[in-house]
């Protein structure tokens, strides 16, 4: 019940295209859903996060879409650039308010953006 | 923004020796710190959760006597890999949470030879 399933495992997109990564969860107690970007040899960096009281959040070229009834959320990267080539992880946790429970990570998606 | 400093970034040690990794929150108080392990092309695997001044809570399958965690202050947590063996070679990452949500360190590449 703690799993977060992420797809696809890898994604190749042309420069300027839209990259879409999907995640599904089972535990309805999750209340914080972040996306992280990780470059080789570095720690994950927070891209954008959403709480279940909103269905969409946009920050620059990055958008999270959240479907509470389907228990799914996705990351959309608009106008993808070669510099976006990295591994992306979705995650979920309980207690995303004043206390932060442990994060459950998806399996990761390796994104390659061709110039 | 929040910054978590992790040192060293790379360490090579001989089998049987111990290695200490430090994780510091530079501009916020981290009431909770998390330690992860990541193998190549895999996701992050949580090893343990520590709260300042308390004993760490280890995930199932993680040897607490081998991976010693100390969270003595609101800005510093350390992970000591004791009697390291080649199978302990991995990428170790800390994360801090408190006034601000999870912020990750830059990771430590441990190689045991």
């Amino acid at each position: 019940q703690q799993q977060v399933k992420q797809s696809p495992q890898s994604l190749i997109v042309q420069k300027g295209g839209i990259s879409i990564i999907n995640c599904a969860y089972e535990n309805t107690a999750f209340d914080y859903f972040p996306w992280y970007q990780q470059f080789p040899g570095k720690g994950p960096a927070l891209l954008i996060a959403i709480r279940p009281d909103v269905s969409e959040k946009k920050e620059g070229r990055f958008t999270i879409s959240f479907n509470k009834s389907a228990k799914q959320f996705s990351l959309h990267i608009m106008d993808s650039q070669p510099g976006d080539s990295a591994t992306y992880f979705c995650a979920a946790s309980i207690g995303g308010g004043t206390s932060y429970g442990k994060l459950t990570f998806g399996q990761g998606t390796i994104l390659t953006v061709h110039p | 923004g929040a910054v978590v400093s992790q040192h060293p970034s790379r360490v090579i040690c001989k089998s049987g020796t111990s290695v200490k990794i430090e994780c510091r929150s530079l501009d916020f108080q981290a009431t909770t710190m998390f330690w992860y392990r990541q193998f190549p092309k895999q996701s992050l695997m949580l090893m343990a959760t520590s709260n300042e001044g308390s004993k760490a809570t280890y995930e199932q399958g993680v040897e607490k006597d081998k991976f010693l965690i100390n969270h003595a202050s609101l800005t510093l947590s350390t992970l000591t890999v004791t009697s390291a063996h080649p199978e302990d070679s991995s990428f170790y990452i800390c994360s801090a949470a408190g006034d601000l949500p999870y912020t990750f360190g830059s990771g430590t590449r441990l190689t045991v030879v």
Side-chain angles (χ1 to χ4, degrees):
Chain A
Q1 200 177 12
Q2 289 294 324
Q3 273 191 318
V4 176
K5 295 183 180 179
Q6 183 173 346
S7 63
Q9 272 189 309
S10 62
L11 180 62
I12 299 174
V13 173
Q14 291 297 124
K15 179 183 176 181
I18 302 173
S19 303
I20 301 174
I21 305 170
N22 301 297
C23 283
Y25 64 97
E26 297 173 1
N27 190 345
T28 55
F30 285 142
D31 59 2
Y32 179 70
F33 302 89
W35 283 91
Y36 293 92
Q37 179 188 58
Q38 185 181 31
F39 292 104
K42 300 294 182 184
L46 178 66
L47 270 178
I48 187 171
I50 199 168
R51 302 194 193 280
D53 52 345
V54 297
S55 59
E56 186 174 281
K57 184 175 181 180
K58 183 176 180 179
E59 289 183 2
R61 295 186 295 110
F62 302 96
T63 300
I64 296 181
S65 296
F66 186 81
N67 187 329
K68 189 174 182 178
S69 61
K71 292 186 284 186
Q72 296 176 347
F73 58 110
S74 60
L75 175 69
H76 295 230
I77 305 174
M78 312 299 287
D79 187 26
S80 299
Q81 300 296 313
D84 296 330
S85 297
T87 300
Y88 292 81
F89 292 97
C90 64
S93 74
I94 300 169
T98 56
S99 64
Y100 297 91
K102 57 186 180 182
L103 280 169
T104 299
F105 280 88
Q107 294 81 1
T109 297
I110 300 172
L111 172 65
T112 304
V113 182
H114 285 316
Chain B
V3 177
V4 171
S5 175
Q6 185 173 342
H7 290 283
S9 57
R10 292 175 178 266
V11 59
I12 300 173
C13 71
K14 291 185 177 180
S15 186
T17 61
S18 296
V19 173
K20 181 183 284 188
I21 302 169
E22 287 191 351
C23 181
R24 294 180 183 272
S25 58
L26 298 186
D27 49 5
F28 69 102
Q29 293 188 326
T31 51
T32 306
M33 285 196 176
F34 305 89
W35 286 94
Y36 296 85
R37 184 173 181 175
Q38 186 178 35
F39 291 106
K41 298 189 185 301
Q42 292 191 22
S43 189
L44 285 76
M45 183 188 77
L46 180 66
M47 298 175 66
T49 302
S50 72
N51 292 295
E52 184 261 340
S54 302
K55 287 186 178 180
T57 301
Y58 290 81
E59 294 299 301
Q60 193 172 9
V62 177
E63 300 175 59
K64 59 183 176 183
D65 294 332
K66 181 169 189 60
F67 299 100
L68 301 179
I69 292 172
N70 184 282
H71 191 169
S73 77
L74 286 171
T75 59
L76 174 65
S77 178
T78 59
L79 167 67
T80 302
V81 183
T82 62
S83 186
H85 288 96
E87 57 266 30
D88 298 324
S89 298
S90 188
F91 192 54
Y92 293 86
I93 309 170
C94 69
S95 172
D99 298 336
L100 298 172
Y102 317 92
T103 303
F104 286 82
S106 54
T108 297
R109 172 73 59 193
L110 170 63
T111 303
V112 184
V113 298

